[in-house]
């Protein structure tokens, strides 16, 4: 099996596009930064996981233009597709072995992954995607040291996720991780 490495790290959320104006213009950056700040504030105030998932799925779709977003949780050696917002159903409520899916790969390798053409990537279980609209994706882990899940963005066209889109997903994932840890701490102190 091929060895895969994490190919980039978004530095500060400012990186986006390919240097040719694609969504890297100043107005888009400012709008996305404001949207991410607002979403992060709402996530921080959330009183439960369902509220966090609702904020993430809506914000991620709005800010990346993705046709679908999933919220995946790690359950030991499986991943659980806990929530989604998409133009057509994906995998909400289903579990898969962590070693058999791209969300699991992102968790195990603790880094984002983008796949512009699903058929070209051997990490993709194509049988799971054939009945969906998905042609390309970006997945980021929730928590980098010990990921507790992933946020996935999916497009119905071949699309190379930009650094800016990945930075948005990473920002949401960071806020999500912090909020979930806070909720767990509150629950354990009761």
């Amino acid at each position: 099996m091929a060895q895969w490495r994490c190919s980039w790290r978004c530095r500060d959320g400012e990186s986006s596009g390919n240097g040719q104006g694609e969504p890297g213009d100043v107005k888009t950056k400012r709008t996305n930064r404001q949207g991410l700040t607002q979403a992060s504030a709402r996530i921080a105030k959330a009183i439960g996981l369902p509220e966090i998932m609702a904020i993430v799925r809506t914000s991620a779709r709005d800010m990346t233009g993705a046709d679908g977003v999933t919220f995946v949780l790690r359950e030991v050696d499986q991943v659980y597709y806990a929530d989604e917002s998409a133009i057509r159903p994906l995998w909400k409520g289903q579990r898969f072995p962590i070693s058999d899916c791209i969300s699991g790969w992102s968790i195990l390798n603790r880094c984002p992954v983008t796949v512009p053409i699903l058929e070209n990537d051997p990490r993709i279980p194509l049988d799971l995607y054939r009945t969906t609209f998905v042609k390309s994706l970006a997945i980021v882990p929730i928590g980098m040291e010990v990921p507790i899940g992933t946020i996935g963005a999916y497009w119905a066209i071949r699309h190379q996720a930009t650094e800016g889109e990945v930075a948005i997903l990473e920002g949401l994932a960071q806020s999500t991780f912090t909020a979930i840890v806070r909720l767990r701490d509150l629950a354990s102190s009761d």
Side-chain angles (χ1 to χ4, degrees), residues 148-167:
I148 59 173
T150 63
I151 299 169
Y154 304 86
W155 288 269
I157 59 170
R158 290 183 175 178
H159 172 76
Q160 174 62 62
T162 66
E163 289 183 25
E165 290 163 342
V166 173

Side-chain angles (χ1 to χ4, degrees), residues 20-35:
Q20 300 171 355
E22 141 238 345
D25 66 24
V26 173
K27 184 177 179 183
T28 300
K29 284 182 185 179
R30 186 173 41 250
T31 301
N32 286 342
R33 189 172 34 248
Q34 290 168 346

Side-chain angles (χ1 to χ4, degrees), residues 3 18 47 64 99 102 114 123 166 175-176 186 189:
Q3 292 294 320
N18 59 8
I47 59 171
T64 64
S99 60
I102 197 72
T114 63
R123 297 170 293 182
V166 173
S175 297
T176 297
L186 286 173
S189 67

